[in-house]
Amino acid sequence: MWGKLGRRKSGGSSLGGRPGPVRRVIAAGAVAMLVASGTSACFAEPSVLPTVRDFLIAWQVGAYHAAAKRTTGDPAVVEAALAQLRGQLDAASLRLRMGQIRKQGDQATARFEVKVDLGENGEPWQYLGQMNLRRVNGDWKIVWSPTIIHPSLSDGERLAIVTESPKRATVQDAGGRALLRMVRADVIGVYPGALRSPDRTIKQLAQLTRLDSERLIGRVRSAPPNEFLPLLMLQQPDHAVLTMRLREIPGLVFHPANAPIAPLMAADLVGTLGPATAQRLQEVGAPYQPGDTIGVSGLQLLYQRRLAGIPAVRVVLQDIRGKRQVLREWSGQPSSPVRTTLDRAQQLRAEYALSDLRVPASLVAVHQATGEILAVANHGAANRNLAMQGDYPPGMAFGIVSAEALLAAGVNSKADCPASTTVGGQTITNAGRPRPGKSNLQMNFAYSCTTTLAGLSTKMDANTLMREAGRFGLGKDWGLPVPASSGTVPRPADDGAKANVMIGQGGVRVSPLSMALVAGAAASGTWRPPRLLNTPPVPQTLQPQPLDPAPFRALRPLLRRSVYEGTAKAAEVKGGATVYGVAATVKYNEGGRPKTVSWFVGFRGDVAFAVAIEGPISASQVAHRFLTARPPAA
């Protein structure tokens, strides 16, 4: 059901390759081997060796008619038998090597080695063959028998490839519960022996699904003829129109199924599954085949091989009654789950908090003491993981970093909160309401006095600002296994640029994840790199970065004041753990178009989080909903 053939064609000459170069190589190799064999009797009779050699060369390069003429059999029967081997094994290439020849009177035997490449993912299938020869009217002829193709092959029997794919493992939450849900699907396949025109059926299927028709035909020809061969799975009703068109193709068989192939939550992170088109196969590579159900995005794609495992492949000999004899087997690898750090309750609350919005929004929650990512929610994001990869100016939400940098530089004096101020030739307009008189940093921060931060920036050098931004992990390589933006903080060239950086503009860009980690540092006193997976473990490339104790202790009251009575007041929750945070609404231009992003960045208890909404909507109210939500269990 999850895809049956775990092999992919490798490069190199095929059975139908160019006869010239291959013939020269094989002839030289065959003669060299014979010389090494030391069977002097062979060289006294020059007519046996050329017969064997020319037969093997013609067989290898696909000149089946020429090979058949070297035998005693019916040329049409022999030609068909030799030609069928490639299709029955879906072989990437065939190599034949001549071995020892023994002659006694008008009889002779010749041994040879067969090497069949079944794909680039494993070792080839090798076995020893033998043929008998006799002199016919003065010429040596090979006595035809199906055993020449394989010693165990008899009339009425054929070779086939059987694969067995492991059941696909799941992407899980931190508690080991699957983050997938069961959905209706159609498993579409064929009974190879029942197809009147295999090539026509498969080409029509490939045309509609963008699968590789040549490789699909190889799968069909090499499969046991009387068994159902799944070729692809389509989720319903998502692919209802395509399925309807496929039902018009003669020979296709449809089996309904229920399968865990759709994300239950954190969809843009978990990712989706779909048929292995030619383009998708270029991303995941061997050992998967066209039509296999593979990861298309997110963790399902990034951990495709772990989640899907590697199929077991068997070469079998099968008679007309379907009885099998296994001739060679390659064991596969079992599938293994991917266990994330996502907390199911936090993830449900995050998605519920965003569910009523009419604009794109995202929310990330992390554990402030470990850096574990607890929730990754996207809403209206058009399959973009904005929670981890969003790129927004933070505005006053960056004030957590700026205020900590000021405190680290010993700047905590009272200051004005004017409507505008000029620093280094740059005019800064206040994001909040102007406040009369001088106030301490805590009050100015609480009411989003960007002019205060801009004015105080002259009391701190750029090196201090950049050092503290680095302590919060901004612009660093986090070493996450999935794409994520750690933000950008450009080094200011002058006082005007430094003032703009202080208020989260001037080229500063952040993702919700990067700001959730900033909030985690403000909560715990140590910035910790994000961690997404429990299994498989991902080595940490960054060490935790502790904040200086004095600035950290002074920073928390600023964040509390902002929620208690400032611009983030809508996030306040009565009872239980205290809420800390900062809110910001940033207007900016992108690609010549005006845009707005609204932020809440803060923490409560062990959970630090960031909300980003693409529009002038109260992110603090969404934060409140996240902290108090009681969504239905999933």
Side-chain angles (χ1 to χ4, degrees):
M1 183 175 296
W2 291 102
K4 289 293 181 183
L5 191 57
R7 299 172 294 112
R8 184 180 182 186
K9 293 295 184 289
S10 63
S13 301
S14 66
L15 295 178
R18 297 179 182 178
V22 176
R23 182 181 296 274
R24 289 194 293 272
V25 172
I26 298 301
V31 172
M33 187 171 185
L34 283 170
V35 171
S37 69
T39 308
S40 58
C42 293
F43 304 111
E45 175 53 70
S47 61
V48 179
L49 187 150
T51 298
V52 175
R53 180 195 61 200
D54 291 349
F55 171 81
L56 294 176
I57 291 173
W59 182 11
Q60 175 172 283
V61 302
Y64 305 123
H65 181 71
K69 292 197 300 184
R70 299 285 181 177
T71 74
T72 61
D74 182 328
V77 173
V78 176
E79 184 176 350
L82 295 176
Q84 286 172 355
L85 178 64
R86 178 183 183 184
Q88 291 175 354
L89 297 178
D90 192 20
S93 65
L94 173 71
R95 295 289 182 269
L96 301 169
R97 183 179 176 88
M98 188 157 58
Q100 190 178 59
I101 299 176
R102 294 186 180 276
K103 183 180 76 70
Q104 187 174 4
D106 289 340
Q107 307 291 324
T109 59
R111 294 181 178 179
F112 58 98
E113 179 186 85
V114 182
K115 182 183 293 186
V116 185
D117 183 2
L118 299 176
E120 64 184 359
N121 197 52
E123 62 186 47
W125 180 35
Q126 295 179 258
Y127 60 91
L128 296 177
Q130 180 172 304
M131 64 183 78
N132 297 320
L133 297 93
R134 69 168 180 258
R135 199 191 302 268
V136 178
N137 298 326
D139 293 327
W140 286 100
K141 291 284 187 178
I142 296 165
V143 180
W144 174 249
S145 169
T147 58
I148 293 175
I149 294 177
H150 188 276
S152 298
L153 192 64
S154 302
D155 287 328
E157 296 178 332
R158 60 158 286 170
L159 300 175
I161 297 294
V162 177
T163 65
E164 184 176 348
S165 297
K167 181 180 178 181
R168 189 179 182 94
T170 59
V171 181
Q172 302 174 346
D173 63 19
R177 296 176 64 185
L179 291 170
L180 305 174
R181 60 185 174 91
M182 301 292 289
V183 296
R184 291 190 302 109
D186 279 323
V187 180
I188 305 167
V190 296
Y191 287 92
L195 292 175
R196 293 184 179 180
S197 178
D199 288 12
R200 180 181 177 184
T201 296
I202 297 307
K203 286 180 179 178
Q204 289 180 347
L205 169 67
Q207 186 175 11
L208 290 176
T209 58
R210 299 182 181 178
L211 301 180
D212 187 324
S213 61
E214 182 179 348
R215 291 176 61 186
L216 275 181
I217 291 171
R219 292 183 66 178
V220 172
R221 289 175 176 170
S222 65
N226 299 322
E227 296 182 10
F228 179 69
L229 175 66
L231 296 177
L232 77 159
M233 176 187 287
L234 294 178
Q235 182 178 335
Q236 302 299 341
D238 300 38
H239 296 94
V241 175
L242 174 58
T243 303
M244 187 179 302
R245 297 182 66 186
L246 291 174
R247 288 185 181 276
E248 299 175 357
I249 300 177
L252 292 185
V253 179
F254 296 76
H255 288 171
N258 289 316
I261 58 176
L264 176 65
M265 57 185 73
D268 298 310
L269 174 62
V270 172
T272 57
L273 297 167
T277 62
Q279 180 178 355
R280 290 169 181 169
L281 281 173
Q282 292 180 356
E283 297 181 44
V284 301
Y288 308 106
Q289 287 283 77
D292 286 355
T293 300
I294 62 171
V296 173
S297 62
L299 293 170
Q300 294 280 25
L301 171 60
L302 294 171
Y303 286 90
Q304 162 63 21
R305 184 162 298 215
R306 177 184 178 88
L307 290 165
I310 295 178
V313 181
R314 300 182 184 91
V315 179
V316 301
L317 186 152
Q318 181 169 306
D319 63 21
I320 57 176
R321 297 182 301 275
K323 185 179 179 181
R324 293 177 185 170
Q325 175 188 347
V326 178
L327 302 178
R328 180 71 164 86
E329 180 175 2
W330 291 263
S331 59
Q333 293 180 9
S335 59
S336 298
V338 171
R339 181 173 293 190
T340 70
T341 58
L342 296 183
D343 180 276
R344 183 170 290 251
Q346 298 292 347
Q347 181 67 37
L348 287 172
R349 279 195 283 269
E351 296 188 0
Y352 179 77
L354 304 179
S355 60
D356 287 344
L357 298 176
R358 297 183 179 181
V359 294
S362 51
L363 191 158
V364 178
V366 301
H367 194 288
Q368 53 95 356
T370 65
E372 293 176 339
I373 299 174
L374 305 177
V376 177
N378 294 286
H379 173 76
N383 299 319
R384 297 171 296 165
N385 190 2
L386 295 175
M388 301 181 73
Q389 296 176 263
D391 186 50
Y392 303 110
M396 194 58 188
F398 190 75
I400 298 175
V401 178
S402 302
E404 194 275 341
L406 287 171
L407 294 168
V411 180
N412 193 11
S413 56
K414 289 186 175 184
D416 292 323
C417 179
S420 65
T421 189
T422 301
V423 180
Q426 293 286 324
T427 300
I428 309 295
T429 302
N430 195 26
R433 292 181 180 179
R435 292 174 56 81
K438 293 182 180 294
S439 298
N440 59 26
L441 181 59
Q442 184 179 127
M443 293 302 296
N444 285 328
F445 181 92
Y447 285 92
S448 298
C449 288
T450 49
T451 51
T452 301
L453 286 183
L456 292 175
S457 68
T458 59
K459 300 185 178 182
M460 176 185 63
D461 60 30
N463 289 334
T464 299
L465 178 58
M466 296 304 296
R467 182 191 68 216
E468 297 309 307
R471 282 190 177 183
F472 283 97
L474 297 172
K476 303 292 186 180
D477 181 4
W478 295 336
L480 278 174
V482 298
S485 170
S486 65
T488 302
V489 182
R491 173 176 285 276
D494 51 40
D495 283 348
K498 183 172 58 175
N500 273 302
V501 170
M502 285 282 288
I503 61 174
Q505 299 193 41
V508 179
R509 288 291 189 273
V510 294
S511 65
L513 174 57
S514 65
M515 293 308 293
L517 295 168
V518 166
S524 67
T526 299
W527 179 87
R528 290 175 173 82
R531 190 162 70 84
L532 178 63
L533 298 184
N534 286 322
T535 307
V538 178
Q540 292 286 339
T541 59
L542 290 177
Q543 295 299 315
Q545 297 290 319
L547 305 180
D548 289 341
F552 163 64
R553 287 193 297 269
L555 180 62
R556 288 173 64 96
L558 272 65
L559 296 171
R560 176 57 193 151
R561 180 68 65 176
S562 181
V563 174
Y564 179 72
E565 64 174 286
T567 54
K569 187 175 182 180
E572 179 73 306
V573 176
K574 301 299 182 181
T578 304
V579 182
Y580 298 77
V582 60
T585 300
V586 189
K587 295 182 179 180
Y588 63 106
N589 283 285
E590 186 172 83
R593 298 176 58 188
K595 291 192 172 185
T596 301
V597 59
S598 301
W599 287 95
F600 178 87
V601 179
F603 59 91
R604 187 189 192 208
D606 289 333
V607 179
F609 64 101
V611 180
I613 305 172
E614 294 186 7
I617 297 171
S618 173
S620 298
Q621 290 181 1
V622 174
H624 181 274
R625 190 178 188 194
F626 167 64
L627 294 172
T628 60
R630 295 183 181 274

